[in-house]
Structure formats: structure tokens, C-alpha cells
Amino acid sequence: MATQTIAAAINPWHVAQQQFDLAAVHLNLSPGLRKVLREPKRELTVHFPVKMDDGTVEVFTGYRVQHNLSRGPAKGGIRYHQDVTLDEVKALAMWMTWKCAVVGIPFGGGKGGVRVDPKKLSLREVEGLTRRFTTEISILIAPDRDIPAPDVNTNAQTMAWMMDTYSMNVGYTAPAVVTGKPVALGGSEGRTEATGRGVVYSIVEAARHLDMDLGKCRVAVQGFGNVGGVSARLIAAEGATVVGLSDWMGAIYRPQGLDVDAVLAWVQEHRTVMGFPGAREITNGELLELDCDILIPAALETQITAANAGKIRARMIAEAANGPTTPEADEILHKNGRFVIPDILCNAGGVTVSYFEWVQDLERDFWNIGHVNEKLREVMTKAFASTLEMSLKQEVSMRTAAYMLAVQRVADATSVRGLYP
Ligand code: NAD
């Protein structure tokens, strides 16, 4: 698939460092701080055995990276994907540091991943892999140290297994060690939908700023998993017309609009959007270039590159995925007047409600869905407003503005703590 070839050729860690360097220049950050913030604090690689259903043993490779812990414990998801690399996890951990800072929640950045295609494993094998991986990284994770959450190909069930494994190992129940858990285990109401909901809150703010009427907007969404699925459903609920949807198998297009709920039901049954009746099948590359007003990349990194950025027709790009745009593509989009809501702002709803979940677990006091969503809206709109203000004041893109806000906050925390010893 074209998108996978592009993604494989670009190293997300180099992208993350380039984005940081640009912000460091704008902020005139001292050389010492630049060196500290440019590298992760810790990188753990584990190779661990899992007994497969046929009795054989497979060895898998996994990672947990903590980027910067100046503002609080590490926070970040666990990804299961056949293309996971240490560099990808490092980039995702660094992005988490900035994301937590831009929305003002007291966490540092972390991320984890296992190199595996979970679609090829049985449920029991995925459980075995999750439990052993949790044990391997338990030298890092703890409720006040490093708190994982779901990401690509992991979900509330994965988090339940992680929480149970950690709790078995320490000898008591520790709900706050992961977020994104089922509500029955101390998960938060609204967490499953939080990332997509936050994406749509930020689109609503951007549309207000750009004077775009969502009722007249056509939307394309790349990736139809947790984040893409919820974003598509909620943007349709705002009155927009969803014309394109995709997953790893390919994309579907219907200029008159797709019934998102019907596509979700189709995917439940067929495990892909492909074959959805009444829609034209196109490639993921074509989906990005569709004639639409809002593009929501919600799959993987480095999908919008110098090769296709010039062909993107959407006026607004809402980065639901982490790192979907390369720095070269960013420049082209900026030059072409596209309004990009950068990932560290756009998809911060997930980690924000993860923070709410962690607080609820620690306090043993649980909130209702209305309270969760209202507080989420508050955090997202405030962060959007501060980023927009910075962008207009400094005459920089929304990404540079979000980085300037975030990096400054992390730099302040890092320098005021001082250099130990
Ligand atoms: P998911 O596993 O639920 O869904 C991923 C979707 O992307 C699936 O539909 C999959 O088929 C599709 N996909 C995979 N490879 C693709 C390709 N090459 N081209 C097109 N589609 C492809 O994962 P998710 O949790 O929805 O995460 C999606 C993105 O959002 C990731 O970048 C993730 O890091 C980011 N994110 C997730 C959360 C969260 O709370 N889950 C929070 C913040 C950011």
C-alpha cells in the first residue's frame, strides 16, 4: 500500500527532533536545555517469550520509553504493530511530553510498543503477550511513575490485563497504574471516546476561527479505529458530511456522504470498510487528496509528506493521529494556506481524560459522563485558544505555536528543578 511505503521510508524520530529544533530556535532555548530535551530520559528494550496456542514459543520485542519527567510521571500509550521500532516509540514519547504540556496536565511523556501483528494471534496469545510484556516493563511502570494507556491495536481489555498483571505482581489492586481501563475496573466514563471527542472539539473551535460552517463541510477520515471512528461519528453529529473513510485495507468514497453508523456496523461484521455497499473503493493515498473541506488523518505517522502535501485540497487538517505530517509537508501546507490543528493539540483529549481517570482512581471518587465531557471541552478549548493566540501573535503556524507553548513549559519545569547533583 502506498501509505505504508511512504511511512516506512521516513523516520518519525527524526521528524520529532526536527519539530523540536524549530521550536527551540523560536524560543531561543539555551544550548544545555536543547541537549536535555532533545533526547529521551530512558529507553527500555525487552525481548520476551510467549507460549503460542500450538505449544511453540515465540520471542517478541517490545519497548518502553520515557522522554521527559520534569512535569510529572510518564504517560503514554502502548502500541501493538508489526512496524514498531525503538525510534518510533521515542518519537511518540517525545510527542507525549509536549502534548501533556500543551493542555497543561501534570505528566511527562512516555510510550510503549510491541513489534507484533496482533491480527495474526489468538485472543489467548494476545493476553499472554500482554501479561508478559507488562511484567517485563514493570521495572518502569507504577501509578506514580509511568502510566500506560491504549494506542494502535490495544484497547480497554488490554489495559485490564495490564492492570491485573501489575496488581498480581505487587500483591494489591492498583487501578491507577494504567488508564483506558474498563469502567468496571476504575476506568473513566468517556475515556474510550475521549480522543475523537477532543478532535471534534478542536475542529469546532477551528471552524469558528476560520468562519467555516460545519453543516456545509465535507470530511475525509484516514483510519477508522478508535480515534477515526469516534471522530467520524461525532463530526457527522455536528452536521458535517463524511465523504471518505479508510483503514489498513483501503478507502471508500461517496461524494453524497457515508452513513457513519452503517459503516461502523459493516466494519464490526467484515473487519474493514472495504466492500461497503454504495461506495467507491479508492486507495489511502487518494483519500488524503479528496475534494473535501476537512481532512482527519487518524491512522499512523508520516502519511502527509512532501510528495502529497501539495495535492491536499482540504482547508483544515485535524491531526487525530500522532505525527501524520512531516516537517517538509508542513511547510507546503502552511504555504498553501491550509489550517493544521497539530497532533499534540488535536488529539490531546485522550490523555486529558486519562488524567481524569488517574485522578479518579487515586481519589476513589468517580465522575459522571457529563462532568467528564464538560471538563474535557474546557481543557481543549482553552488549549486551542492559547495556541491560536500564540500563532497570531508570533505569526507562526499552529504547530509551531503549540510547540512553543509546550516546549517553554517543559523547559521552565526542567530548568527550575535544576541539574542534579
Ligand atoms: P486503532 O488501532 O483503534 O485504529 C487504527 C486505524 O488505522 C485502523 O482502522 C487501522 O485499520 C488503520 N490503519 C492502520 N494502518 C493504516 C494505513 N497504513 N493506512 C490507513 N489506515 C491504517 O488505533 P487508534 O487508537 O484509533 O489510534 C490511531 C492514531 O491515533 C494513532 O496515531 C495513535 O497514536 C493516535 N492516538 C490515539 C489515542 C487513543 O486514545 N487511542 C490518543 C491519541 C492519539
Side-chain angles (χ1 to χ4, degrees), residues 79 151-153 191 195 224-227 247-248 284 298-299 321-322:
R79 172 175 296 194
D151 192 70
V152 172
N153 290 328
R191 172 59 185 91
T195 307
F224 199 55
N226 175 322
V227 180
D247 58 29
W248 67 285
N284 262 290
N322 285 306

Side-chain angles (χ1 to χ4, degrees), residues 3-11 302:
T3 47
Q4 278 164 336
T5 320
I6 293 164
I10 298 165
N11 184 332
T302 59

Side-chain angles (χ1 to χ4, degrees), residues 325-339:
T325 311
T326 66
E328 296 75 22
D330 238 346
E331 267 183 43
I332 298 169
L333 294 175
H334 191 56
K335 226 181 282 162
N336 290 351
R338 309 295 182 224
F339 187 88

Side-chain angles (χ1 to χ4, degrees), residues 13-176:
W13 176 235
H14 297 157
V15 171
Q17 285 193 315
Q18 256 177 282
Q19 290 167 335
F20 165 73
D21 289 342
L22 191 64
V25 170
H26 277 284
L27 291 169
N28 200 15
L29 224 55
S30 75
L33 265 174
R34 282 186 206 201
K35 283 185 213 160
V36 172
L37 300 183
R38 216 171 177 274
E39 299 295 338
K41 179 183 174 69
R42 295 191 179 105
E43 304 169 11
L44 174 67
T45 299
V46 294
H47 305 285
F48 58 98
V50 178
K51 192 174 272 178
M52 309 308 280
D53 288 347
D54 65 2
T56 60
V57 172
E58 280 297 334
V59 172
F60 294 91
T61 299
Y63 311 96
R64 185 73 188 169
V65 173
Q66 298 176 342
H67 172 250
N68 182 286
L69 308 183
S70 298
R71 299 180 62 260
K75 189 85 193 77
I78 302 278
R79 172 175 296 194
Y80 291 169
H81 196 276
Q82 61 277 14
D83 297 332
V84 163
T85 62
L86 178 57
D87 273 357
E88 179 185 48
V89 179
K90 282 163 67 175
L92 289 161
M94 185 193 251
W95 288 326
M96 285 305 297
T97 301
W98 314 138
K99 193 181 302 183
C100 293
V102 88
V103 286
I105 56 177
F107 287 130
K111 201 80 183 191
V114 178
R115 207 173 163 83
V116 58
D117 181 357
K119 289 191 279 304
K120 295 195 176 140
L121 267 52
S122 71
L123 194 65
R124 200 212 61 81
E125 288 169 338
V126 175
E127 178 178 351
L129 175 133
T130 301
R131 289 185 180 281
R132 182 62 188 247
F133 177 61
T134 306
T135 306
E136 296 289 343
I137 63 167
S138 62
I139 52 174
L140 290 183
I141 63 171
D144 53 359
R145 293 183 186 186
D146 184 344
I147 306 115
D151 192 70
V152 172
N153 290 328
T154 56
N155 55 26
Q157 176 62 76
T158 325
M159 294 306 114
W161 289 327
M162 290 192 80
M163 178 273 208
D164 181 68
T165 304
Y166 178 86
S167 299
M168 287 295 138
N169 288 346
V170 294
Y172 54 87
T173 296

